Amino acid sequence: MSAGETPAPGRESELAEALASTRARMAAAVTDAGREPAGVRLVVVTKNFPRSDLDALVRLGVRDVGENKEQELTAKMGEAPLPEDVRVHFIGQLQSRKSGAVARVADVVHSVDRVKLVGALARGAEAAGRRLTVLLQVSLDGDPQRGGALPADVPALADAVASAGLTLGGVMAVAPLGEEPRAAFARLREVSERLRVDHPGAVEISAGMSGDLEAAIHEGATLLRVGTAILGSRPSHR
Ligand SMILES: *Cc1c(COP(=O)(O)O)cnc(C)c1O
């Protein structure tokens, strides 16, 4: 164990079991969708859970972990280094004054939804000597409160990311409330296809959480962001 408190007895086997059943759900959906297993990666969202859980997941073979708050991300990453091959994903809403701090520790930022964030991310990554991959968060319901760029604003945002020296990885979305997720993810897939005309390397589609990962896999998701199904219900604070 690299740092932090010792996990409660049984926690690691609980996580192993939940991870196995999530991987089984993924495998079934991948088969159903006629896709290749290697085309879908699992990002385990460890927000609101301690670093000891993250370390246990890494021991269990998880290589992509996600956080949604800058402060929690920075604190957890400050505890001890992660193995070189673990990728850190930032999936939460970004504030421009916190973007530099995120860029210094994250490998992938999923939630870039306005040009204003791009400069700070690029400067943070450069200062840390890191290559940062950026996904464009797309709003699938047009509600600005929930984050995400409108599909019509994606091309300009993509160009801003690419010309800032960041790696444009693709798109991300959260399924809107009150809509069948598969229909919403189908719109994300169209946004992705249009984006790839000008940016052929932007192949990632980050979609699908605990409740809707099958729908996302059917609509081409390459990155799933799963928390609750693996770690359990989030404690509100600890
Ligand atoms: C918390 C979170 C997730 C994970 O959601 P679960 O329902 O716990 O799997 C995925 N994406 C984002 C943006 C999140 O904030």
Side-chain angles (χ1 to χ4, degrees):
M1 153 146 315
S2 41
E5 71 268 49
T6 307
R11 179 59 169 159
E12 189 157 337
S13 52
E14 186 177 276
L15 290 172
E17 236 173 82
L19 194 56
S21 62
T22 298
R23 291 207 187 279
R25 277 176 68 190
M26 287 170 61
V30 161
T31 303
D32 225 36
R35 296 184 54 195
E36 290 296 323
V40 187
R41 246 170 37 237
L42 175 64
V43 178
V44 180
V45 179
T46 49
K47 66 186 186 197
N48 291 25
F49 286 93
R51 172 64 194 247
S52 56
D53 280 356
L54 198 163
D55 290 328
L57 289 160
V58 168
R59 284 195 299 276
L60 293 167
V62 169
R63 284 299 173 267
D64 293 273
V65 296
E67 289 288 338
N68 77 330
K69 295 214 167 60
E70 180 274 325
Q71 213 181 352
E72 187 177 350
L73 171 75
T74 308
K76 269 186 204 164
M77 294 311 134
E79 284 187 34
L82 284 168
E84 281 284 318
D85 60 343
V86 173
R87 285 174 295 267
V88 175
H89 300 251
F90 185 79
I91 63 171
Q93 289 204 359
L94 261 179
Q95 293 166 269
S96 50
R97 67 191 171 84
K98 302 223 168 132
S99 296
V102 167
R104 281 190 283 278
V105 291
D107 298 290
V108 186
V109 174
H110 291 226
S111 42
V112 173
D113 61 358
R114 52 199 191 279
V115 172
K116 198 180 167 199
L117 301 171
V118 173
L121 285 172
R123 284 189 298 276
E126 198 185 353
R130 299 171 67 92
R131 258 209 102 56
L132 181 65
T133 296
V134 158
L135 309 185
L136 309 182
Q137 184 175 353
V138 179
S139 170
L140 298 176
D141 58 7
D143 178 358
Q145 289 298 307
R146 301 186 70 229
L150 295 175
D153 295 333
V154 165
L157 188 54
D159 293 343
V161 167
S163 55
L166 297 164
T167 301
L168 180 64
V171 294
M172 176 272 213
V174 178
L177 302 168
E179 184 187 354
E180 205 278 301
R182 185 150 174 195
F185 292 146
R187 297 201 295 283
L188 181 64
R189 173 184 231 161
E190 286 167 19
V191 172
S192 167
E193 283 165 4
R194 285 199 297 274
L195 174 66
R196 277 178 279 155
V197 173
D198 287 331
H199 300 277
V203 296
E204 305 286 356
I205 300 179
S206 166
M209 321 199 317
S210 293
D212 55 20
L213 67 89
E214 286 87 357
I217 288 172
H218 276 275
E219 294 301 336
T222 63
L223 292 167
L224 309 174
R225 309 177 309 269
V226 178
T228 314
I230 295 167
L231 288 123
S233 303
R234 280 180 284 279
S236 45
H237 60 86
R238 21 176 91 227

PDB file of all heavy atoms in Angstrom, residues 132-155:
ATOM      1  N   LEU A 132      -1.277  16.777 -22.148  1.00  0.00           N
ATOM      2  CA  LEU A 132      -2.642  16.679 -21.632  1.00  0.00           C
ATOM      3  C   LEU A 132      -3.611  16.405 -22.772  1.00  0.00           C
ATOM      4  O   LEU A 132      -3.601  17.094 -23.794  1.00  0.00           O
ATOM      5  CB  LEU A 132      -3.008  17.982 -20.929  1.00  0.00           C
ATOM      6  CG  LEU A 132      -4.403  18.040 -20.300  1.00  0.00           C
ATOM      7  CD1 LEU A 132      -4.523  17.044 -19.153  1.00  0.00           C
ATOM      8  CD2 LEU A 132      -4.699  19.447 -19.794  1.00  0.00           C
ATOM      9  N   THR A 133      -4.426  15.387 -22.585  1.00  0.00           N
ATOM     10  CA  THR A 133      -5.490  15.084 -23.546  1.00  0.00           C
ATOM     11  C   THR A 133      -6.780  15.725 -23.067  1.00  0.00           C
ATOM     12  O   THR A 133      -7.114  15.648 -21.877  1.00  0.00           O
ATOM     13  CB  THR A 133      -5.657  13.556 -23.685  1.00  0.00           C
ATOM     14  OG1 THR A 133      -4.456  13.022 -24.240  1.00  0.00           O
ATOM     15  CG2 THR A 133      -6.826  13.206 -24.600  1.00  0.00           C
ATOM     16  N   VAL A 134      -7.469  16.349 -23.984  1.00  0.00           N
ATOM     17  CA  VAL A 134      -8.683  17.076 -23.650  1.00  0.00           C
ATOM     18  C   VAL A 134      -9.861  16.488 -24.426  1.00  0.00           C
ATOM     19  O   VAL A 134      -9.772  16.230 -25.623  1.00  0.00           O
ATOM     20  CB  VAL A 134      -8.478  18.573 -24.014  1.00  0.00           C
ATOM     21  CG1 VAL A 134      -9.795  19.295 -24.203  1.00  0.00           C
ATOM     22  CG2 VAL A 134      -7.629  19.258 -22.957  1.00  0.00           C
ATOM     23  N   LEU A 135     -10.962  16.267 -23.710  1.00  0.00           N
ATOM     24  CA  LEU A 135     -12.214  15.893 -24.368  1.00  0.00           C
ATOM     25  C   LEU A 135     -13.158  17.083 -24.258  1.00  0.00           C
ATOM     26  O   LEU A 135     -13.121  17.828 -23.284  1.00  0.00           O
ATOM     27  CB  LEU A 135     -12.843  14.664 -23.696  1.00  0.00           C
ATOM     28  CG  LEU A 135     -11.960  13.429 -23.489  1.00  0.00           C
ATOM     29  CD1 LEU A 135     -12.791  12.281 -22.914  1.00  0.00           C
ATOM     30  CD2 LEU A 135     -11.287  12.999 -24.774  1.00  0.00           C
ATOM     31  N   LEU A 136     -13.990  17.237 -25.265  1.00  0.00           N
ATOM     32  CA  LEU A 136     -14.943  18.339 -25.268  1.00  0.00           C
ATOM     33  C   LEU A 136     -16.263  17.847 -24.701  1.00  0.00           C
ATOM     34  O   LEU A 136     -16.864  16.911 -25.244  1.00  0.00           O
ATOM     35  CB  LEU A 136     -15.140  18.854 -26.694  1.00  0.00           C
ATOM     36  CG  LEU A 136     -13.844  19.182 -27.446  1.00  0.00           C
ATOM     37  CD1 LEU A 136     -14.171  19.722 -28.826  1.00  0.00           C
ATOM     38  CD2 LEU A 136     -12.989  20.173 -26.651  1.00  0.00           C
ATOM     39  N   GLN A 137     -16.689  18.482 -23.616  1.00  0.00           N
ATOM     40  CA  GLN A 137     -17.986  18.070 -23.053  1.00  0.00           C
ATOM     41  C   GLN A 137     -19.105  18.720 -23.847  1.00  0.00           C
ATOM     42  O   GLN A 137     -19.141  19.929 -24.049  1.00  0.00           O
ATOM     43  CB  GLN A 137     -18.084  18.442 -21.567  1.00  0.00           C
ATOM     44  CG  GLN A 137     -19.395  17.917 -20.973  1.00  0.00           C
ATOM     45  CD  GLN A 137     -19.518  18.146 -19.483  1.00  0.00           C
ATOM     46  OE1 GLN A 137     -18.578  18.582 -18.813  1.00  0.00           O
ATOM     47  NE2 GLN A 137     -20.702  17.854 -18.954  1.00  0.00           N
ATOM     48  N   VAL A 138     -20.016  17.874 -24.281  1.00  0.00           N
ATOM     49  CA  VAL A 138     -21.120  18.315 -25.137  1.00  0.00           C
ATOM     50  C   VAL A 138     -22.414  18.270 -24.335  1.00  0.00           C
ATOM     51  O   VAL A 138     -22.701  17.282 -23.650  1.00  0.00           O
ATOM     52  CB  VAL A 138     -21.227  17.389 -26.375  1.00  0.00           C
ATOM     53  CG1 VAL A 138     -22.384  17.825 -27.265  1.00  0.00           C
ATOM     54  CG2 VAL A 138     -19.912  17.365 -27.148  1.00  0.00           C
ATOM     55  N   SER A 139     -23.190  19.332 -24.435  1.00  0.00           N
ATOM     56  CA  SER A 139     -24.512  19.350 -23.808  1.00  0.00           C
ATOM     57  C   SER A 139     -25.498  18.642 -24.717  1.00  0.00           C
ATOM     58  O   SER A 139     -25.643  18.997 -25.882  1.00  0.00           O
ATOM     59  CB  SER A 139     -24.959  20.802 -23.586  1.00  0.00           C
ATOM     60  OG  SER A 139     -26.314  20.812 -23.202  1.00  0.00           O
ATOM     61  N   LEU A 140     -26.172  17.647 -24.162  1.00  0.00           N
ATOM     62  CA  LEU A 140     -27.142  16.909 -24.976  1.00  0.00           C
ATOM     63  C   LEU A 140     -28.565  17.388 -24.726  1.00  0.00           C
ATOM     64  O   LEU A 140     -29.507  16.902 -25.339  1.00  0.00           O
ATOM     65  CB  LEU A 140     -27.024  15.406 -24.707  1.00  0.00           C
ATOM     66  CG  LEU A 140     -25.662  14.786 -25.071  1.00  0.00           C
ATOM     67  CD1 LEU A 140     -25.623  13.315 -24.679  1.00  0.00           C
ATOM     68  CD2 LEU A 140     -25.354  14.950 -26.562  1.00  0.00           C
ATOM     69  N   ASP A 141     -28.732  18.339 -23.814  1.00  0.00           N
ATOM     70  CA  ASP A 141     -30.078  18.859 -23.551  1.00  0.00           C
ATOM     71  C   ASP A 141     -30.134  20.386 -23.614  1.00  0.00           C
ATOM     72  O   ASP A 141     -31.178  20.980 -23.360  1.00  0.00           O
ATOM     73  CB  ASP A 141     -30.594  18.367 -22.191  1.00  0.00           C
ATOM     74  CG  ASP A 141     -29.677  18.767 -21.043  1.00  0.00           C
ATOM     75  OD1 ASP A 141     -28.718  19.532 -21.259  1.00  0.00           O
ATOM     76  OD2 ASP A 141     -29.925  18.298 -19.911  1.00  0.00           O
ATOM     77  N   GLY A 142     -29.014  21.014 -23.944  1.00  0.00           N
ATOM     78  CA  GLY A 142     -29.007  22.470 -24.080  1.00  0.00           C
ATOM     79  C   GLY A 142     -29.120  23.223 -22.765  1.00  0.00           C
ATOM     80  O   GLY A 142     -29.223  24.446 -22.757  1.00  0.00           O
ATOM     81  N   ASP A 143     -29.060  22.502 -21.626  1.00  0.00           N
ATOM     82  CA  ASP A 143     -29.166  23.173 -20.328  1.00  0.00           C
ATOM     83  C   ASP A 143     -27.777  23.597 -19.855  1.00  0.00           C
ATOM     84  O   ASP A 143     -26.965  22.758 -19.462  1.00  0.00           O
ATOM     85  CB  ASP A 143     -29.807  22.213 -19.313  1.00  0.00           C
ATOM     86  CG  ASP A 143     -29.910  22.815 -17.916  1.00  0.00           C
ATOM     87  OD1 ASP A 143     -29.446  23.966 -17.717  1.00  0.00           O
ATOM     88  OD2 ASP A 143     -30.455  22.145 -17.025  1.00  0.00           O
ATOM     89  N   PRO A 144     -27.486  24.918 -19.884  1.00  0.00           N
ATOM     90  CA  PRO A 144     -26.131  25.373 -19.545  1.00  0.00           C
ATOM     91  C   PRO A 144     -25.754  25.088 -18.099  1.00  0.00           C
ATOM     92  O   PRO A 144     -24.567  24.968 -17.770  1.00  0.00           O
ATOM     93  CB  PRO A 144     -26.178  26.882 -19.821  1.00  0.00           C
ATOM     94  CG  PRO A 144     -27.623  27.249 -19.826  1.00  0.00           C
ATOM     95  CD  PRO A 144     -28.405  26.019 -20.185  1.00  0.00           C
ATOM     96  N   GLN A 145     -26.741  24.943 -17.213  1.00  0.00           N
ATOM     97  CA  GLN A 145     -26.466  24.645 -15.807  1.00  0.00           C
ATOM     98  C   GLN A 145     -25.691  23.342 -15.635  1.00  0.00           C
ATOM     99  O   GLN A 145     -24.938  23.181 -14.692  1.00  0.00           O
ATOM    100  CB  GLN A 145     -27.788  24.498 -15.035  1.00  0.00           C
ATOM    101  CG  GLN A 145     -28.542  25.801 -14.824  1.00  0.00           C
ATOM    102  CD  GLN A 145     -27.754  26.790 -13.994  1.00  0.00           C
ATOM    103  OE1 GLN A 145     -27.294  26.455 -12.900  1.00  0.00           O
ATOM    104  NE2 GLN A 145     -27.551  27.991 -14.506  1.00  0.00           N
ATOM    105  N   ARG A 146     -25.934  22.402 -16.520  1.00  0.00           N
ATOM    106  CA  ARG A 146     -25.344  21.077 -16.331  1.00  0.00           C
ATOM    107  C   ARG A 146     -24.012  20.935 -17.061  1.00  0.00           C
ATOM    108  O   ARG A 146     -23.409  19.867 -17.044  1.00  0.00           O
ATOM    109  CB  ARG A 146     -26.337  19.992 -16.757  1.00  0.00           C
ATOM    110  CG  ARG A 146     -27.633  20.078 -15.942  1.00  0.00           C
ATOM    111  CD  ARG A 146     -28.586  18.943 -16.213  1.00  0.00           C
ATOM    112  NE  ARG A 146     -28.097  17.681 -15.687  1.00  0.00           N
ATOM    113  CZ  ARG A 146     -28.057  16.550 -16.381  1.00  0.00           C
ATOM    114  NH1 ARG A 146     -28.469  16.514 -17.618  1.00  0.00           N
ATOM    115  NH2 ARG A 146     -27.606  15.449 -15.829  1.00  0.00           N
ATOM    116  N   GLY A 147     -23.547  22.002 -17.673  1.00  0.00           N
ATOM    117  CA  GLY A 147     -22.246  21.960 -18.333  1.00  0.00           C
ATOM    118  C   GLY A 147     -22.338  21.397 -19.732  1.00  0.00           C
ATOM    119  O   GLY A 147     -23.309  20.735 -20.109  1.00  0.00           O
ATOM    120  N   GLY A 148     -21.314  21.670 -20.506  1.00  0.00           N
ATOM    121  CA  GLY A 148     -21.269  21.158 -21.861  1.00  0.00           C
ATOM    122  C   GLY A 148     -21.465  22.250 -22.889  1.00  0.00           C
ATOM    123  O   GLY A 148     -22.249  23.178 -22.692  1.00  0.00           O
ATOM    124  N   ALA A 149     -20.731  22.124 -23.985  1.00  0.00           N
ATOM    125  CA  ALA A 149     -20.866  23.062 -25.106  1.00  0.00           C
ATOM    126  C   ALA A 149     -22.019  22.605 -25.984  1.00  0.00           C
ATOM    127  O   ALA A 149     -22.297  21.411 -26.097  1.00  0.00           O
ATOM    128  CB  ALA A 149     -19.573  23.070 -25.919  1.00  0.00           C
ATOM    129  N   LEU A 150     -22.676  23.555 -26.616  1.00  0.00           N
ATOM    130  CA  LEU A 150     -23.701  23.182 -27.582  1.00  0.00           C
ATOM    131  C   LEU A 150     -23.010  22.537 -28.780  1.00  0.00           C
ATOM    132  O   LEU A 150     -21.900  22.942 -29.154  1.00  0.00           O
ATOM    133  CB  LEU A 150     -24.472  24.428 -28.035  1.00  0.00           C
ATOM    134  CG  LEU A 150     -25.289  25.113 -26.940  1.00  0.00           C
ATOM    135  CD1 LEU A 150     -25.905  26.408 -27.472  1.00  0.00           C
ATOM    136  CD2 LEU A 150     -26.375  24.176 -26.403  1.00  0.00           C
ATOM    137  N   PRO A 151     -23.651  21.553 -29.397  1.00  0.00           N
ATOM    138  CA  PRO A 151     -23.029  20.906 -30.562  1.00  0.00           C
ATOM    139  C   PRO A 151     -22.528  21.911 -31.612  1.00  0.00           C
ATOM    140  O   PRO A 151     -21.454  21.708 -32.195  1.00  0.00           O
ATOM    141  CB  PRO A 151     -24.157  20.026 -31.102  1.00  0.00           C
ATOM    142  CG  PRO A 151     -24.936  19.644 -29.874  1.00  0.00           C
ATOM    143  CD  PRO A 151     -24.909  20.876 -29.001  1.00  0.00           C
ATOM    144  N   ALA A 152     -23.255  22.988 -31.786  1.00  0.00           N
ATOM    145  CA  ALA A 152     -22.851  23.985 -32.791  1.00  0.00           C
ATOM    146  C   ALA A 152     -21.543  24.688 -32.425  1.00  0.00           C
ATOM    147  O   ALA A 152     -20.859  25.226 -33.296  1.00  0.00           O
ATOM    148  CB  ALA A 152     -23.959  25.021 -32.968  1.00  0.00           C
ATOM    149  N   ASP A 153     -21.206  24.707 -31.135  1.00  0.00           N
ATOM    150  CA  ASP A 153     -19.987  25.388 -30.697  1.00  0.00           C
ATOM    151  C   ASP A 153     -18.777  24.461 -30.645  1.00  0.00           C
ATOM    152  O   ASP A 153     -17.659  24.905 -30.352  1.00  0.00           O
ATOM    153  CB  ASP A 153     -20.207  26.015 -29.313  1.00  0.00           C
ATOM    154  CG  ASP A 153     -21.258  27.122 -29.351  1.00  0.00           C
ATOM    155  OD1 ASP A 153     -21.423  27.741 -30.426  1.00  0.00           O
ATOM    156  OD2 ASP A 153     -21.923  27.341 -28.316  1.00  0.00           O
ATOM    157  N   VAL A 154     -18.988  23.188 -30.924  1.00  0.00           N
ATOM    158  CA  VAL A 154     -17.903  22.210 -30.821  1.00  0.00           C
ATOM    159  C   VAL A 154     -16.762  22.460 -31.819  1.00  0.00           C
ATOM    160  O   VAL A 154     -15.590  22.403 -31.431  1.00  0.00           O
ATOM    161  CB  VAL A 154     -18.458  20.762 -30.915  1.00  0.00           C
ATOM    162  CG1 VAL A 154     -17.356  19.746 -31.182  1.00  0.00           C
ATOM    163  CG2 VAL A 154     -19.197  20.414 -29.616  1.00  0.00           C
ATOM    164  N   PRO A 155     -17.041  22.779 -33.077  1.00  0.00           N
ATOM    165  CA  PRO A 155     -15.918  22.962 -34.015  1.00  0.00           C
ATOM    166  C   PRO A 155     -14.936  24.057 -33.584  1.00  0.00           C
ATOM    167  O   PRO A 155     -13.713  23.840 -33.624  1.00  0.00           O
ATOM    168  CB  PRO A 155     -16.612  23.323 -35.334  1.00  0.00           C
ATOM    169  CG  PRO A 155     -17.971  22.681 -35.235  1.00  0.00           C
ATOM    170  CD  PRO A 155     -18.353  22.801 -33.780  1.00  0.00           C
TER     171      PRO A 155
END
